[in-house]
Amino acid sequence: MKEINIALLGFGTVGSGTAEALRRNREFIERQLGCSVHLKTVLVRHPEKYAQLELLQGVHVTADFQDVLKDPSIQIVIEVMGGIHPAKEYIYAALQRGINVVSANKDLVALYGPEIIQIALMNHVNFSCEASVGGGIPVLQPLHDSLAANRIDKIIGIVNGTTNYILTSMTDTGESYEAALAEAQAKGFAEADPTNDVCGYDAARKLAILTAIGFRANVTFDDVLVEGIEKIQQEDVTYARDMGYVIKLLAVALREENGVALNVYPAFVPKSHPLASVKGAYNAIYVVGNVVDDVMFYGQGAGSLPTASAVMGDVISTIKHIHNGSTGTGMILTDVRRIPFYSSLKLKDSYYFRLVVDDTTGVLASIARIFADNGISINEMVQKRRFEKFAELMLIVDTSPRESILRVEESLKLLPTVKSVANIIRVMSHEN
């Protein structure tokens, strides 16, 4: 029986999960492929730590990438190290040596995806990255192949499990943001330094990848405007619930008439929308095509075995290409050309405002005047709480350009009777 040899770069959560997935389903996988699949080499920083690990018995464990690169029997490299360096150099070297690569590295793919694909094409090998978005959710290949007859007009994703876990906890238990974050850290859903997640950067990287595939465009992380959830407080969650919404961190790609707009931001999502029911650390990607209409992909957004499922799916697909002599074809492709971008400042949305103001007469009139001067209609204004000499106001305004909302925010901060603009959050319409 023909043998396919694999090298695994990294043996953390995803790397160990990948080795376990191959061990657990080896017979099933090999029966599908008609060949044996062998994990030959694993690259780690400290090989001595893995000497007694049962899962790696019979595997060459090394700290030297040249052991991988100079082994002519290795046909697939799986990169699950994460980060940009040295993962980028290893992937480029493997592709240029004619070795197929499977990666789960969202940081790298979000910045260099189109360039990596071009290197793979030039060297007639495959590069696959299904696991870089949505953990175990199969979404990139369906976007590229199953929905190929569509012009994708909209992608809205809940693609960061940490923030979704925090917001779900705040909604279901009434916890503060700080308490929900601490709980997420205690349970391993959030890092000790949660900046990458709560500030929206992780979601932005995944959105860049989704957009590159779905919109067939040269899009990178730097093209995404990002807002995180750090300012979300229990008051906002409560007011959202009272009005029939839940707050979610959304990654949104929109095809506008004059270009594409890419944003990550928290938003009030109507409880009737499919994304509103996505709880805990789960992910979902909602896609609108001009033929298929609405499609949603849902599942485990992270974790050792769910992500390993996507990695091994790419490995199996690559082996089929090897058997057919068709590596370097049929990959998830993007266009190397840049595309026009639509200014996110021009995008129109409804917005929620929470203000802390002096509890005196005339305050409401002065606030309303600022909105009117900027051409913005107030749909709802409610005084929610009184404390000491202040009052808390909640406003919902009509659909308005982002640039007008920012002007209003600056004007409100200058108003002597406004003590703070506590929060401003987009409100998704029921039609989205």
PDB file of all heavy atoms in Angstrom, residues 236 239-240 243 245 268 349-355 371 376-382 393-400 405 423-428:
ATOM      1  N   ASP A 236     -25.915  47.990  29.198  1.00  0.00           N
ATOM      2  CA  ASP A 236     -26.162  47.859  27.763  1.00  0.00           C
ATOM      3  C   ASP A 236     -26.833  46.527  27.446  1.00  0.00           C
ATOM      4  O   ASP A 236     -27.752  46.457  26.617  1.00  0.00           O
ATOM      5  CB  ASP A 236     -24.844  47.977  26.990  1.00  0.00           C
ATOM      6  CG  ASP A 236     -24.089  49.250  27.315  1.00  0.00           C
ATOM      7  OD1 ASP A 236     -24.713  50.323  27.270  1.00  0.00           O
ATOM      8  OD2 ASP A 236     -22.886  49.171  27.615  1.00  0.00           O
ATOM      9  N   TYR A 239     -30.528  46.706  28.619  1.00  0.00           N
ATOM     10  CA  TYR A 239     -31.373  47.519  27.745  1.00  0.00           C
ATOM     11  C   TYR A 239     -31.602  46.827  26.408  1.00  0.00           C
ATOM     12  O   TYR A 239     -32.697  46.894  25.831  1.00  0.00           O
ATOM     13  CB  TYR A 239     -30.753  48.901  27.528  1.00  0.00           C
ATOM     14  CG  TYR A 239     -30.565  49.702  28.797  1.00  0.00           C
ATOM     15  CD1 TYR A 239     -29.626  50.724  28.877  1.00  0.00           C
ATOM     16  CD2 TYR A 239     -31.324  49.431  29.938  1.00  0.00           C
ATOM     17  CE1 TYR A 239     -29.439  51.449  30.045  1.00  0.00           C
ATOM     18  CE2 TYR A 239     -31.148  50.154  31.109  1.00  0.00           C
ATOM     19  CZ  TYR A 239     -30.203  51.164  31.160  1.00  0.00           C
ATOM     20  OH  TYR A 239     -30.017  51.881  32.322  1.00  0.00           O
ATOM     21  N   ALA A 240     -30.569  46.163  25.908  1.00  0.00           N
ATOM     22  CA  ALA A 240     -30.739  45.402  24.666  1.00  0.00           C
ATOM     23  C   ALA A 240     -31.799  44.326  24.846  1.00  0.00           C
ATOM     24  O   ALA A 240     -32.698  44.169  23.996  1.00  0.00           O
ATOM     25  CB  ALA A 240     -29.406  44.771  24.252  1.00  0.00           C
ATOM     26  N   MET A 243     -35.360  45.481  24.840  1.00  0.00           N
ATOM     27  CA  MET A 243     -35.873  45.904  23.530  1.00  0.00           C
ATOM     28  C   MET A 243     -35.939  44.763  22.514  1.00  0.00           C
ATOM     29  O   MET A 243     -36.242  44.982  21.349  1.00  0.00           O
ATOM     30  CB  MET A 243     -34.999  47.030  22.975  1.00  0.00           C
ATOM     31  CG  MET A 243     -35.108  48.326  23.761  1.00  0.00           C
ATOM     32  SD  MET A 243     -34.156  49.651  22.991  1.00  0.00           S
ATOM     33  CE  MET A 243     -32.484  49.096  23.293  1.00  0.00           C
ATOM     34  N   TYR A 245     -33.279  42.491  21.831  1.00  0.00           N
ATOM     35  CA  TYR A 245     -31.993  42.270  21.175  1.00  0.00           C
ATOM     36  C   TYR A 245     -31.037  41.517  22.106  1.00  0.00           C
ATOM     37  O   TYR A 245     -31.240  41.468  23.324  1.00  0.00           O
ATOM     38  CB  TYR A 245     -31.336  43.603  20.799  1.00  0.00           C
ATOM     39  CG  TYR A 245     -32.070  44.437  19.790  1.00  0.00           C
ATOM     40  CD1 TYR A 245     -33.017  45.374  20.207  1.00  0.00           C
ATOM     41  CD2 TYR A 245     -31.806  44.317  18.431  1.00  0.00           C
ATOM     42  CE1 TYR A 245     -33.692  46.172  19.281  1.00  0.00           C
ATOM     43  CE2 TYR A 245     -32.474  45.106  17.499  1.00  0.00           C
ATOM     44  CZ  TYR A 245     -33.413  46.027  17.929  1.00  0.00           C
ATOM     45  OH  TYR A 245     -34.078  46.799  17.017  1.00  0.00           O
ATOM     46  N   PHE A 268     -26.324  45.356  18.578  1.00  0.00           N
ATOM     47  CA  PHE A 268     -27.591  44.802  19.020  1.00  0.00           C
ATOM     48  C   PHE A 268     -28.123  43.927  17.881  1.00  0.00           C
ATOM     49  O   PHE A 268     -28.354  44.420  16.780  1.00  0.00           O
ATOM     50  CB  PHE A 268     -28.602  45.919  19.287  1.00  0.00           C
ATOM     51  CG  PHE A 268     -28.433  46.660  20.579  1.00  0.00           C
ATOM     52  CD1 PHE A 268     -27.192  46.808  21.182  1.00  0.00           C
ATOM     53  CD2 PHE A 268     -29.531  47.236  21.201  1.00  0.00           C
ATOM     54  CE1 PHE A 268     -27.048  47.499  22.376  1.00  0.00           C
ATOM     55  CE2 PHE A 268     -29.399  47.934  22.397  1.00  0.00           C
ATOM     56  CZ  PHE A 268     -28.156  48.064  22.983  1.00  0.00           C
ATOM     57  N   ASP A 349     -26.240  52.874   9.612  1.00  0.00           N
ATOM     58  CA  ASP A 349     -26.814  51.950  10.584  1.00  0.00           C
ATOM     59  C   ASP A 349     -27.639  52.731  11.587  1.00  0.00           C
ATOM     60  O   ASP A 349     -27.448  53.943  11.759  1.00  0.00           O
ATOM     61  CB  ASP A 349     -25.711  51.188  11.337  1.00  0.00           C
ATOM     62  CG  ASP A 349     -24.993  50.176  10.472  1.00  0.00           C
ATOM     63  OD1 ASP A 349     -25.594  49.146  10.158  1.00  0.00           O
ATOM     64  OD2 ASP A 349     -23.826  50.432  10.122  1.00  0.00           O
ATOM     65  N   SER A 350     -28.534  52.018  12.258  1.00  0.00           N
ATOM     66  CA  SER A 350     -29.177  52.575  13.431  1.00  0.00           C
ATOM     67  C   SER A 350     -28.219  52.422  14.615  1.00  0.00           C
ATOM     68  O   SER A 350     -27.390  51.505  14.629  1.00  0.00           O
ATOM     69  CB  SER A 350     -30.491  51.836  13.703  1.00  0.00           C
ATOM     70  OG  SER A 350     -31.110  52.330  14.868  1.00  0.00           O
ATOM     71  N   TYR A 351     -28.315  53.316  15.599  1.00  0.00           N
ATOM     72  CA  TYR A 351     -27.390  53.298  16.730  1.00  0.00           C
ATOM     73  C   TYR A 351     -28.125  53.465  18.066  1.00  0.00           C
ATOM     74  O   TYR A 351     -29.157  54.143  18.150  1.00  0.00           O
ATOM     75  CB  TYR A 351     -26.355  54.416  16.609  1.00  0.00           C
ATOM     76  CG  TYR A 351     -25.253  54.137  15.624  1.00  0.00           C
ATOM     77  CD1 TYR A 351     -25.433  54.377  14.266  1.00  0.00           C
ATOM     78  CD2 TYR A 351     -24.028  53.624  16.043  1.00  0.00           C
ATOM     79  CE1 TYR A 351     -24.422  54.121  13.351  1.00  0.00           C
ATOM     80  CE2 TYR A 351     -23.011  53.374  15.136  1.00  0.00           C
ATOM     81  CZ  TYR A 351     -23.217  53.621  13.790  1.00  0.00           C
ATOM     82  OH  TYR A 351     -22.210  53.356  12.884  1.00  0.00           O
ATOM     83  N   TYR A 352     -27.548  52.839  19.073  1.00  0.00           N
ATOM     84  CA  TYR A 352     -27.965  52.999  20.466  1.00  0.00           C
ATOM     85  C   TYR A 352     -26.951  53.886  21.173  1.00  0.00           C
ATOM     86  O   TYR A 352     -25.742  53.703  21.008  1.00  0.00           O
ATOM     87  CB  TYR A 352     -28.032  51.608  21.109  1.00  0.00           C
ATOM     88  CG  TYR A 352     -27.783  51.511  22.593  1.00  0.00           C
ATOM     89  CD1 TYR A 352     -28.838  51.511  23.504  1.00  0.00           C
ATOM     90  CD2 TYR A 352     -26.489  51.368  23.098  1.00  0.00           C
ATOM     91  CE1 TYR A 352     -28.602  51.370  24.876  1.00  0.00           C
ATOM     92  CE2 TYR A 352     -26.243  51.227  24.459  1.00  0.00           C
ATOM     93  CZ  TYR A 352     -27.318  51.237  25.338  1.00  0.00           C
ATOM     94  OH  TYR A 352     -27.085  51.100  26.686  1.00  0.00           O
ATOM     95  N   PHE A 353     -27.439  54.857  21.942  1.00  0.00           N
ATOM     96  CA  PHE A 353     -26.594  55.716  22.769  1.00  0.00           C
ATOM     97  C   PHE A 353     -26.988  55.529  24.234  1.00  0.00           C
ATOM     98  O   PHE A 353     -28.180  55.453  24.555  1.00  0.00           O
ATOM     99  CB  PHE A 353     -26.809  57.198  22.439  1.00  0.00           C
ATOM    100  CG  PHE A 353     -26.140  57.677  21.182  1.00  0.00           C
ATOM    101  CD1 PHE A 353     -26.633  57.324  19.930  1.00  0.00           C
ATOM    102  CD2 PHE A 353     -25.036  58.517  21.232  1.00  0.00           C
ATOM    103  CE1 PHE A 353     -26.045  57.787  18.773  1.00  0.00           C
ATOM    104  CE2 PHE A 353     -24.432  58.987  20.075  1.00  0.00           C
ATOM    105  CZ  PHE A 353     -24.938  58.615  18.841  1.00  0.00           C
ATOM    106  N   ARG A 354     -25.994  55.476  25.117  1.00  0.00           N
ATOM    107  CA  ARG A 354     -26.246  55.541  26.565  1.00  0.00           C
ATOM    108  C   ARG A 354     -25.456  56.721  27.110  1.00  0.00           C
ATOM    109  O   ARG A 354     -24.227  56.755  26.987  1.00  0.00           O
ATOM    110  CB  ARG A 354     -25.854  54.239  27.250  1.00  0.00           C
ATOM    111  CG  ARG A 354     -26.093  54.264  28.764  1.00  0.00           C
ATOM    112  CD  ARG A 354     -26.100  52.867  29.376  1.00  0.00           C
ATOM    113  NE  ARG A 354     -24.845  52.150  29.146  1.00  0.00           N
ATOM    114  CZ  ARG A 354     -23.776  52.221  29.956  1.00  0.00           C
ATOM    115  NH1 ARG A 354     -23.808  53.001  31.034  1.00  0.00           N
ATOM    116  NH2 ARG A 354     -22.687  51.528  29.675  1.00  0.00           N
ATOM    117  N   LEU A 355     -26.176  57.678  27.679  1.00  0.00           N
ATOM    118  CA  LEU A 355     -25.566  58.920  28.149  1.00  0.00           C
ATOM    119  C   LEU A 355     -25.812  59.102  29.640  1.00  0.00           C
ATOM    120  O   LEU A 355     -26.881  58.738  30.153  1.00  0.00           O
ATOM    121  CB  LEU A 355     -26.162  60.123  27.408  1.00  0.00           C
ATOM    122  CG  LEU A 355     -26.208  60.082  25.881  1.00  0.00           C
ATOM    123  CD1 LEU A 355     -26.926  61.319  25.349  1.00  0.00           C
ATOM    124  CD2 LEU A 355     -24.813  59.978  25.297  1.00  0.00           C
ATOM    125  N   PHE A 371     -28.456  66.256  17.696  1.00  0.00           N
ATOM    126  CA  PHE A 371     -28.816  65.245  16.693  1.00  0.00           C
ATOM    127  C   PHE A 371     -29.470  65.889  15.479  1.00  0.00           C
ATOM    128  O   PHE A 371     -29.157  65.541  14.336  1.00  0.00           O
ATOM    129  CB  PHE A 371     -29.747  64.197  17.311  1.00  0.00           C
ATOM    130  CG  PHE A 371     -29.040  63.188  18.178  1.00  0.00           C
ATOM    131  CD1 PHE A 371     -28.956  63.357  19.549  1.00  0.00           C
ATOM    132  CD2 PHE A 371     -28.438  62.072  17.611  1.00  0.00           C
ATOM    133  CE1 PHE A 371     -28.292  62.441  20.346  1.00  0.00           C
ATOM    134  CE2 PHE A 371     -27.779  61.137  18.399  1.00  0.00           C
ATOM    135  CZ  PHE A 371     -27.706  61.333  19.780  1.00  0.00           C
ATOM    136  N   ILE A 376     -29.927  63.765  12.119  1.00  0.00           N
ATOM    137  CA  ILE A 376     -30.225  62.440  12.661  1.00  0.00           C
ATOM    138  C   ILE A 376     -31.514  62.496  13.469  1.00  0.00           C
ATOM    139  O   ILE A 376     -31.664  63.328  14.370  1.00  0.00           O
ATOM    140  CB  ILE A 376     -29.078  61.938  13.558  1.00  0.00           C
ATOM    141  CG1 ILE A 376     -27.788  61.812  12.739  1.00  0.00           C
ATOM    142  CG2 ILE A 376     -29.430  60.596  14.197  1.00  0.00           C
ATOM    143  CD1 ILE A 376     -26.573  61.454  13.566  1.00  0.00           C
ATOM    144  N   SER A 377     -32.438  61.569  13.158  1.00  0.00           N
ATOM    145  CA  SER A 377     -33.712  61.498  13.871  1.00  0.00           C
ATOM    146  C   SER A 377     -33.595  60.562  15.069  1.00  0.00           C
ATOM    147  O   SER A 377     -32.996  59.485  14.961  1.00  0.00           O
ATOM    148  CB  SER A 377     -34.821  60.983  12.948  1.00  0.00           C
ATOM    149  OG  SER A 377     -35.006  61.844  11.851  1.00  0.00           O
ATOM    150  N   ILE A 378     -34.154  60.969  16.191  1.00  0.00           N
ATOM    151  CA  ILE A 378     -34.198  60.126  17.386  1.00  0.00           C
ATOM    152  C   ILE A 378     -35.496  59.331  17.368  1.00  0.00           C
ATOM    153  O   ILE A 378     -36.588  59.911  17.370  1.00  0.00           O
ATOM    154  CB  ILE A 378     -34.099  60.970  18.667  1.00  0.00           C
ATOM    155  CG1 ILE A 378     -32.776  61.733  18.711  1.00  0.00           C
ATOM    156  CG2 ILE A 378     -34.250  60.079  19.906  1.00  0.00           C
ATOM    157  CD1 ILE A 378     -32.645  62.682  19.891  1.00  0.00           C
ATOM    158  N   ASN A 379     -35.369  58.002  17.339  1.00  0.00           N
ATOM    159  CA  ASN A 379     -36.568  57.156  17.332  1.00  0.00           C
ATOM    160  C   ASN A 379     -37.111  56.919  18.734  1.00  0.00           C
ATOM    161  O   ASN A 379     -38.311  56.740  18.929  1.00  0.00           O
ATOM    162  CB  ASN A 379     -36.261  55.796  16.686  1.00  0.00           C
ATOM    163  CG  ASN A 379     -35.995  55.916  15.199  1.00  0.00           C
ATOM    164  OD1 ASN A 379     -36.399  56.890  14.569  1.00  0.00           O
ATOM    165  ND2 ASN A 379     -35.298  54.940  14.640  1.00  0.00           N
ATOM    166  N   GLU A 380     -36.204  56.896  19.718  1.00  0.00           N
ATOM    167  CA  GLU A 380     -36.627  56.605  21.083  1.00  0.00           C
ATOM    168  C   GLU A 380     -35.649  57.262  22.050  1.00  0.00           C
ATOM    169  O   GLU A 380     -34.434  57.196  21.848  1.00  0.00           O
ATOM    170  CB  GLU A 380     -36.657  55.088  21.315  1.00  0.00           C
ATOM    171  CG  GLU A 380     -37.186  54.674  22.675  1.00  0.00           C
ATOM    172  CD  GLU A 380     -37.276  53.160  22.823  1.00  0.00           C
ATOM    173  OE1 GLU A 380     -37.005  52.448  21.831  1.00  0.00           O
ATOM    174  OE2 GLU A 380     -37.618  52.701  23.930  1.00  0.00           O
ATOM    175  N   MET A 381     -36.180  57.909  23.094  1.00  0.00           N
ATOM    176  CA  MET A 381     -35.350  58.478  24.146  1.00  0.00           C
ATOM    177  C   MET A 381     -36.034  58.179  25.482  1.00  0.00           C
ATOM    178  O   MET A 381     -37.175  58.571  25.703  1.00  0.00           O
ATOM    179  CB  MET A 381     -35.172  59.987  23.974  1.00  0.00           C
ATOM    180  CG  MET A 381     -34.271  60.628  25.049  1.00  0.00           C
ATOM    181  SD  MET A 381     -34.189  62.433  24.956  1.00  0.00           S
ATOM    182  CE  MET A 381     -33.296  62.691  23.428  1.00  0.00           C
ATOM    183  N   VAL A 382     -35.327  57.460  26.353  1.00  0.00           N
ATOM    184  CA  VAL A 382     -35.910  57.031  27.620  1.00  0.00           C
ATOM    185  C   VAL A 382     -34.933  57.331  28.741  1.00  0.00           C
ATOM    186  O   VAL A 382     -33.737  57.043  28.629  1.00  0.00           O
ATOM    187  CB  VAL A 382     -36.228  55.515  27.609  1.00  0.00           C
ATOM    188  CG1 VAL A 382     -36.840  55.092  28.945  1.00  0.00           C
ATOM    189  CG2 VAL A 382     -37.155  55.164  26.452  1.00  0.00           C
ATOM    190  N   LEU A 393     -29.613  58.260  30.259  1.00  0.00           N
ATOM    191  CA  LEU A 393     -30.518  58.279  29.117  1.00  0.00           C
ATOM    192  C   LEU A 393     -30.150  57.181  28.141  1.00  0.00           C
ATOM    193  O   LEU A 393     -28.967  56.899  27.912  1.00  0.00           O
ATOM    194  CB  LEU A 393     -30.449  59.625  28.383  1.00  0.00           C
ATOM    195  CG  LEU A 393     -30.882  60.879  29.134  1.00  0.00           C
ATOM    196  CD1 LEU A 393     -30.778  62.086  28.201  1.00  0.00           C
ATOM    197  CD2 LEU A 393     -32.296  60.745  29.657  1.00  0.00           C
ATOM    198  N   MET A 394     -31.175  56.571  27.551  1.00  0.00           N
ATOM    199  CA  MET A 394     -30.976  55.600  26.488  1.00  0.00           C
ATOM    200  C   MET A 394     -31.676  56.135  25.241  1.00  0.00           C
ATOM    201  O   MET A 394     -32.857  56.487  25.284  1.00  0.00           O
ATOM    202  CB  MET A 394     -31.542  54.235  26.884  1.00  0.00           C
ATOM    203  CG  MET A 394     -31.247  53.109  25.895  1.00  0.00           C
ATOM    204  SD  MET A 394     -32.432  53.061  24.510  1.00  0.00           S
ATOM    205  CE  MET A 394     -33.915  52.578  25.357  1.00  0.00           C
ATOM    206  N   LEU A 395     -30.940  56.209  24.133  1.00  0.00           N
ATOM    207  CA  LEU A 395     -31.496  56.699  22.874  1.00  0.00           C
ATOM    208  C   LEU A 395     -31.274  55.672  21.779  1.00  0.00           C
ATOM    209  O   LEU A 395     -30.231  55.005  21.739  1.00  0.00           O
ATOM    210  CB  LEU A 395     -30.828  58.005  22.424  1.00  0.00           C
ATOM    211  CG  LEU A 395     -30.956  59.269  23.260  1.00  0.00           C
ATOM    212  CD1 LEU A 395     -29.954  59.280  24.388  1.00  0.00           C
ATOM    213  CD2 LEU A 395     -30.741  60.496  22.368  1.00  0.00           C
ATOM    214  N   ILE A 396     -32.250  55.557  20.891  1.00  0.00           N
ATOM    215  CA  ILE A 396     -32.081  54.812  19.645  1.00  0.00           C
ATOM    216  C   ILE A 396     -32.328  55.798  18.512  1.00  0.00           C
ATOM    217  O   ILE A 396     -33.372  56.472  18.479  1.00  0.00           O
ATOM    218  CB  ILE A 396     -33.076  53.637  19.527  1.00  0.00           C
ATOM    219  CG1 ILE A 396     -32.875  52.643  20.667  1.00  0.00           C
ATOM    220  CG2 ILE A 396     -32.911  52.941  18.173  1.00  0.00           C
ATOM    221  CD1 ILE A 396     -31.602  51.849  20.587  1.00  0.00           C
ATOM    222  N   VAL A 397     -31.358  55.909  17.595  1.00  0.00           N
ATOM    223  CA  VAL A 397     -31.495  56.878  16.502  1.00  0.00           C
ATOM    224  C   VAL A 397     -31.702  56.163  15.177  1.00  0.00           C
ATOM    225  O   VAL A 397     -31.380  54.986  15.018  1.00  0.00           O
ATOM    226  CB  VAL A 397     -30.274  57.810  16.415  1.00  0.00           C
ATOM    227  CG1 VAL A 397     -30.069  58.531  17.746  1.00  0.00           C
ATOM    228  CG2 VAL A 397     -29.019  57.053  16.020  1.00  0.00           C
ATOM    229  N   ASP A 398     -32.245  56.893  14.241  1.00  0.00           N
ATOM    230  CA  ASP A 398     -32.549  56.352  12.915  1.00  0.00           C
ATOM    231  C   ASP A 398     -31.257  56.041  12.157  1.00  0.00           C
ATOM    232  O   ASP A 398     -30.159  56.468  12.545  1.00  0.00           O
ATOM    233  CB  ASP A 398     -33.385  57.367  12.141  1.00  0.00           C
ATOM    234  CG  ASP A 398     -34.192  56.729  11.029  1.00  0.00           C
ATOM    235  OD1 ASP A 398     -34.132  55.488  10.884  1.00  0.00           O
ATOM    236  OD2 ASP A 398     -34.891  57.467  10.304  1.00  0.00           O
ATOM    237  N   THR A 399     -31.395  55.298  11.076  1.00  0.00           N
ATOM    238  CA  THR A 399     -30.251  54.920  10.243  1.00  0.00           C
ATOM    239  C   THR A 399     -29.480  56.157   9.803  1.00  0.00           C
ATOM    240  O   THR A 399     -30.053  57.083   9.218  1.00  0.00           O
ATOM    241  CB  THR A 399     -30.736  54.142   9.010  1.00  0.00           C
ATOM    242  OG1 THR A 399     -31.458  53.001   9.458  1.00  0.00           O
ATOM    243  CG2 THR A 399     -29.564  53.686   8.163  1.00  0.00           C
ATOM    244  N   SER A 400     -28.171  56.158  10.094  1.00  0.00           N
ATOM    245  CA  SER A 400     -27.338  57.331   9.842  1.00  0.00           C
ATOM    246  C   SER A 400     -25.931  56.895   9.464  1.00  0.00           C
ATOM    247  O   SER A 400     -25.465  55.838   9.890  1.00  0.00           O
ATOM    248  CB  SER A 400     -27.264  58.215  11.096  1.00  0.00           C
ATOM    249  OG  SER A 400     -28.546  58.512  11.589  1.00  0.00           O
ATOM    250  N   ILE A 405     -22.548  59.997  13.145  1.00  0.00           N
ATOM    251  CA  ILE A 405     -22.595  59.519  14.525  1.00  0.00           C
ATOM    252  C   ILE A 405     -21.356  59.982  15.293  1.00  0.00           C
ATOM    253  O   ILE A 405     -21.442  60.407  16.452  1.00  0.00           O
ATOM    254  CB  ILE A 405     -22.710  57.984  14.549  1.00  0.00           C
ATOM    255  CG1 ILE A 405     -24.023  57.526  13.913  1.00  0.00           C
ATOM    256  CG2 ILE A 405     -22.567  57.453  15.970  1.00  0.00           C
ATOM    257  CD1 ILE A 405     -25.261  57.989  14.632  1.00  0.00           C
ATOM    258  N   ASN A 423     -21.755  54.803  26.097  1.00  0.00           N
ATOM    259  CA  ASN A 423     -21.574  53.820  25.027  1.00  0.00           C
ATOM    260  C   ASN A 423     -22.378  54.212  23.796  1.00  0.00           C
ATOM    261  O   ASN A 423     -23.422  54.880  23.903  1.00  0.00           O
ATOM    262  CB  ASN A 423     -21.997  52.418  25.471  1.00  0.00           C
ATOM    263  CG  ASN A 423     -21.040  51.353  24.958  1.00  0.00           C
ATOM    264  OD1 ASN A 423     -20.320  51.565  23.977  1.00  0.00           O
ATOM    265  ND2 ASN A 423     -21.011  50.207  25.618  1.00  0.00           N
ATOM    266  N   ILE A 424     -21.870  53.777  22.651  1.00  0.00           N
ATOM    267  CA  ILE A 424     -22.570  53.896  21.369  1.00  0.00           C
ATOM    268  C   ILE A 424     -22.410  52.548  20.658  1.00  0.00           C
ATOM    269  O   ILE A 424     -21.279  52.092  20.448  1.00  0.00           O
ATOM    270  CB  ILE A 424     -21.996  55.027  20.488  1.00  0.00           C
ATOM    271  CG1 ILE A 424     -22.027  56.358  21.218  1.00  0.00           C
ATOM    272  CG2 ILE A 424     -22.766  55.120  19.164  1.00  0.00           C
ATOM    273  CD1 ILE A 424     -21.341  57.500  20.460  1.00  0.00           C
ATOM    274  N   ILE A 425     -23.529  51.926  20.315  1.00  0.00           N
ATOM    275  CA  ILE A 425     -23.479  50.575  19.738  1.00  0.00           C
ATOM    276  C   ILE A 425     -24.422  50.518  18.532  1.00  0.00           C
ATOM    277  O   ILE A 425     -25.535  51.034  18.575  1.00  0.00           O
ATOM    278  CB  ILE A 425     -23.916  49.508  20.780  1.00  0.00           C
ATOM    279  CG1 ILE A 425     -23.051  49.621  22.038  1.00  0.00           C
ATOM    280  CG2 ILE A 425     -23.824  48.107  20.191  1.00  0.00           C
ATOM    281  CD1 ILE A 425     -23.531  48.736  23.181  1.00  0.00           C
ATOM    282  N   ARG A 426     -23.984  49.877  17.474  1.00  0.00           N
ATOM    283  CA  ARG A 426     -24.835  49.693  16.305  1.00  0.00           C
ATOM    284  C   ARG A 426     -26.034  48.814  16.634  1.00  0.00           C
ATOM    285  O   ARG A 426     -25.951  47.926  17.488  1.00  0.00           O
ATOM    286  CB  ARG A 426     -24.054  49.065  15.154  1.00  0.00           C
ATOM    287  CG  ARG A 426     -23.028  49.996  14.503  1.00  0.00           C
ATOM    288  CD  ARG A 426     -22.163  49.207  13.542  1.00  0.00           C
ATOM    289  NE  ARG A 426     -21.218  50.027  12.814  1.00  0.00           N
ATOM    290  CZ  ARG A 426     -20.045  50.432  13.287  1.00  0.00           C
ATOM    291  NH1 ARG A 426     -19.703  50.110  14.534  1.00  0.00           N
ATOM    292  NH2 ARG A 426     -19.212  51.159  12.560  1.00  0.00           N
ATOM    293  N   VAL A 427     -27.115  49.039  15.912  1.00  0.00           N
ATOM    294  CA  VAL A 427     -28.328  48.237  16.063  1.00  0.00           C
ATOM    295  C   VAL A 427     -28.638  47.598  14.717  1.00  0.00           C
ATOM    296  O   VAL A 427     -28.934  48.296  13.741  1.00  0.00           O
ATOM    297  CB  VAL A 427     -29.527  49.098  16.540  1.00  0.00           C
ATOM    298  CG1 VAL A 427     -30.772  48.221  16.679  1.00  0.00           C
ATOM    299  CG2 VAL A 427     -29.197  49.781  17.858  1.00  0.00           C
ATOM    300  N   MET A 428     -28.522  46.269  14.649  1.00  0.00           N
ATOM    301  CA  MET A 428     -28.821  45.563  13.406  1.00  0.00           C
ATOM    302  C   MET A 428     -30.317  45.629  13.123  1.00  0.00           C
ATOM    303  O   MET A 428     -31.144  45.381  14.017  1.00  0.00           O
ATOM    304  CB  MET A 428     -28.366  44.100  13.505  1.00  0.00           C
ATOM    305  CG  MET A 428     -28.656  43.290  12.240  1.00  0.00           C
ATOM    306  SD  MET A 428     -28.423  41.499  12.477  1.00  0.00           S
ATOM    307  CE  MET A 428     -26.641  41.390  12.425  1.00  0.00           C
TER     308      MET A 428
END
